[in-house]
Amino acid sequence: MAVPILITAGVIILFVVAFMVLRMSSFIRTVPPVEPIEPVSVDADRVAQHLSAVIQVKTISAAADREPFDREPFAQLHQLLTEFYPQLHQQLDREIVGNATLLYTWRGQQPDLKPVLLVAHQDVVPADPDTLDEWTHPPFSGEISEGFIWGRGTLDIKSQMLAAFEAVEMMVAEGFRPERTVYLAYGEDEEIGGQQGAKQVVALLQERGVHLAAVLDEGGTIVSGVVPSVQLPVALVGTAEKGHLSLKIRAEGTPGHSSMPKQGTAIGRLARALTRLEDDQMPVRYQALTDLFRGLGAAASFSMQFVIANLWLLAPFVRKRLEQSAEMNASIRTTTALTMLRGGVKDNVLPNSAEAIVNFRLLPGDSIASVCEHVRRVIDDEQVQFEPLENASWEASPVSPTDNPAFSLLTHTIRQVFPNVVVAPYLVLGATDSRYYPVISDAVYRFSPYVLTGSDLNRMHGIDERLSVESMQKMVVFFYHLLQHWTGDAL
Ligand SMILES: [Zn+2]
């Protein structure tokens, strides 16, 4: 009896392993090399001077409900743009949307082709006054030294705006005329939600019946040593971004004197609800992770690809490991973050209510409704109520395709301009202006064409934000070639 059972078990195991190896085959493909190009020549010093001048203009976004909109710095920035890019301003139509958002139209020769759009933003976050003396060069100095341009907006993201301007200016000067229309849109308030900028641009284009073949906004960069088991630098192209939901959670209790506390205090109830939410997280889904690794192909290690391709079987064994990394955890689930807490006025008074804010970042596939349902089920207490904070919720974006010409041409351009880089789609964990664009385009990509090293990540919104002159030059080269690829009829 035992021998046939052993043989049967052996055969089954053999089949399972064969199936697992087969599943991996699409993950370990090698990407064929791209033809190298002769990159267009760009005057790095001139471009650095332009970026430096633009960094010196303090276009800091300010929430309308707190401070009135200060038009002056934006007007100054617009003035610089018209000085630096005279031919562009002659050839393209410029509109001001919202208060100071820029929308340029470069008309294509074939009006029946769907247009493309390049997006970034003019605004920057302020520099924390407490850290000013820690900056090597002041945050709005635009200092050019040690091979870098220093200051707010070099990484996030005046560089991307200017690189596109430089490329278009060069192309116009060369007499280039795009086949399809190109829009350039630069918001004034991305850092505070994009209500005046991107949202209005989308409304305007939608009103005009525009549907875009492709959009490129800021987003992922070229990173090294970030993706597990990958040695080569990886260009992470955001194909989707997470949604956002902040819930105000409020617990009621019986008020009174703390010398005779009754059962079920507001703070106790709230604490229990919050602990439950932290302990019982939203379910895990691996789609973004598998898309990433499928894109990486043979650039990831064999063992890693074996695991990722077979999460259907191996997930229970690797889940804990994945959850231990904050980035990985955020890529595989809607996260739950307890961010604010309020309750009580005096040490000897039982408050009648206590409140907390819990911030969720929604994975594509989850919805605001499904998260609320989860919260209701997990808290399971009728005396704990919750509601979304006003203007702080939006759904996760749709996932843009990677099997279309727009993505292939984008990938191709990245690999032409940055040899030895592997390109892969990923899920953007934060929020950008891109979330407004899916209503007018099915192909929205989030990528900033520069190399980001480990320490640079903390500089973004932090101290000593800077971009190398060489990186800035390469960004211009990238946009020059991308525009050639994206404006033709191959798209
Ligand atoms: Zn940004």
Side-chain angles (χ1 to χ4, degrees):
M1 270 309 270
V3 173
I5 289 174
L6 274 179
I7 290 173
T8 314
V11 168
I12 290 173
I13 289 169
L14 215 65
F15 266 109
V16 170
V17 171
F19 179 69
M20 290 170 86
V21 170
L22 196 69
R23 272 193 65 91
M24 192 179 55
S25 60
S26 73
F27 282 77
I28 52 164
R29 84 207 143 78
T30 35
V31 185
V34 291
E35 287 281 303
I37 42 150
E38 187 60 47
V40 63
S41 119
V42 171
D43 183 342
D45 289 337
R46 199 180 131 87
V47 170
Q49 295 289 347
H50 287 167
L51 182 59
S52 162
V54 164
I55 294 301
Q56 292 171 52
V57 184
K58 295 183 181 174
T59 47
I60 300 167
S61 40
D65 53 345
R66 271 172 270 144
E67 292 157 65
F69 183 78
D70 183 5
R71 204 173 297 273
E72 190 44 40
F74 288 89
Q76 259 180 55
L77 173 59
H78 299 175
Q79 182 56 36
L80 287 178
L81 296 175
T82 50
E83 282 168 26
F84 294 159
Y85 312 111
Q87 309 211 48
L88 178 153
H89 282 85
Q90 232 167 42
Q91 195 71 46
L92 277 63
D93 298 332
R94 193 193 81 163
E95 295 169 86
I96 304 279
V97 182
N99 297 304
T101 291
L102 294 169
L103 175 64
Y104 289 82
T105 308
W106 191 10
R107 287 200 194 287
Q109 300 184 69
Q110 298 190 47
D112 51 323
L113 292 180
K114 281 186 177 179
V116 292
L117 168 68
L118 302 180
V119 186
H121 55 90
Q122 303 170 59
D123 62 315
V124 293
V125 293
D128 181 349
D130 293 341
T131 63
L132 288 182
D133 54 355
E134 292 174 52
W135 285 70
T136 309
H137 304 287
F140 293 95
S141 64
E143 182 83 21
I144 304 173
S145 66
E146 300 129 74
F148 291 90
I149 308 131
W150 298 74
R152 260 301 169 260
T154 49
L155 291 173
D156 184 10
I157 188 80
K158 285 177 170 169
S159 48
Q160 186 148 349
M161 170 175 76
L162 239 59
F165 276 121
E166 298 283 347
V168 173
E169 178 75 4
M170 285 167 65
M171 294 170 92
V172 172
E174 288 164 7
F176 179 88
R177 291 191 59 205
E179 294 296 319
R180 68 183 70 241
T181 293
V182 179
Y183 292 105
L184 309 173
Y186 300 110
E188 65 198 66
D189 59 350
E190 190 274 346
E191 298 291 359
I192 52 167
Q195 294 280 324
Q196 290 298 315
K199 192 177 177 186
Q200 310 293 338
V201 168
V202 169
L204 184 67
L205 293 178
Q206 200 175 16
E207 194 183 293
R208 292 177 185 166
V210 172
H211 199 263
L212 301 161
V215 176
L216 184 70
D217 193 1
E218 63 175 334
T221 59
I222 301 170
V223 293
S224 291
V226 169
V227 184
S229 91
V230 181
Q231 306 299 324
L232 290 173
V234 182
L236 292 169
V237 176
T239 45
E241 71 182 53
K242 294 186 91 176
H244 190 283
L245 171 67
S246 283
L247 288 181
K248 180 156 84 175
I249 302 192
R250 184 184 155 92
E252 307 279 341
T254 316
H257 198 282
S258 68
S259 58
M260 293 176 294
K262 301 185 181 76
Q263 292 287 311
T265 59
I267 291 176
R269 271 185 192 288
L270 182 66
R272 195 159 48 241
L274 296 178
T275 312
R276 285 178 180 168
L277 284 176
E278 240 184 11
D279 290 348
D280 197 345
Q281 299 267 331
M282 287 286 288
V284 163
R285 270 201 312 280
Y286 297 102
Q287 193 60 49
L289 201 62
T290 48
D291 288 349
L292 170 69
F293 277 89
R294 190 171 274 125
L296 290 166
S301 72
F302 190 86
S303 54
M304 191 71 182
Q305 291 295 40
F306 184 77
V307 171
I308 299 289
N310 291 292
L311 283 168
W312 62 277
L313 182 68
L314 303 176
F317 306 103
V318 296
R319 199 179 112 176
K320 277 265 164 335
R321 278 274 305 271
L322 291 172
E323 286 174 337
Q324 276 163 7
S325 147
E327 284 95 356
M328 283 293 170
N329 184 49
S331 301
I332 59 174
R333 66 150 47 95
T334 292
T335 49
T336 303
L338 314 183
T339 53
M340 292 172 82
L341 189 60
R342 198 180 67 190
V345 287
K346 199 169 181 301
D347 69 326
N348 61 357
V349 175
L350 296 169
N352 71 331
S353 72
E355 275 178 15
I357 305 289
V358 182
N359 182 244
F360 299 89
R361 299 302 178 101
L362 280 66
L363 197 66
D366 286 334
S367 65
I368 291 171
S370 69
V371 174
C372 287
E373 188 42 48
H374 163 86
V375 170
R376 196 183 325 276
R377 187 181 55 74
V378 169
I379 293 180
D380 190 27
D381 183 343
E382 280 178 359
Q383 288 188 58
V384 178
Q385 311 292 326
F386 62 89
E387 58 178 357
L389 279 189
E390 230 176 294
N391 295 327
S393 353
W394 55 87
E395 301 284 1
S397 78
V399 181
S400 295
T402 53
D403 59 353
N404 58 345
F407 189 79
S408 307
L409 291 167
L410 174 60
T411 302
H412 189 75
T413 311
I414 296 170
R415 297 183 62 220
Q416 276 184 328
V417 178
F418 301 93
N420 298 324
V421 159
V422 45
V423 185
Y426 91 114
L427 172 66
V428 176
L429 303 178
T432 71
D433 272 349
S434 308
R435 71 174 180 280
Y436 294 108
Y437 286 97
V439 291
I440 52 169
S441 182
D442 307 324
V444 179
Y445 303 106
R446 302 148 181 92
F447 177 65
S448 298
Y450 58 75
V451 177
L452 196 74
T453 64
S455 78
D456 293 337
L457 203 58
N458 301 327
R459 298 171 190 269
M460 212 181 267
H461 289 209
I463 299 161
D464 271 350
E465 186 175 340
R466 66 177 193 186
L467 180 73
S468 75
V469 173
E470 192 195 340
S471 292
M472 184 60 200
Q473 178 192 31
K474 273 203 141 175
M475 283 178 94
V476 181
V477 174
F478 169 84
F479 276 108
Y480 181 93
H481 293 290
L482 181 74
L483 278 169
Q484 290 202 328
H485 290 143
W486 264 17
T487 57
D489 45 18
L491 187 66

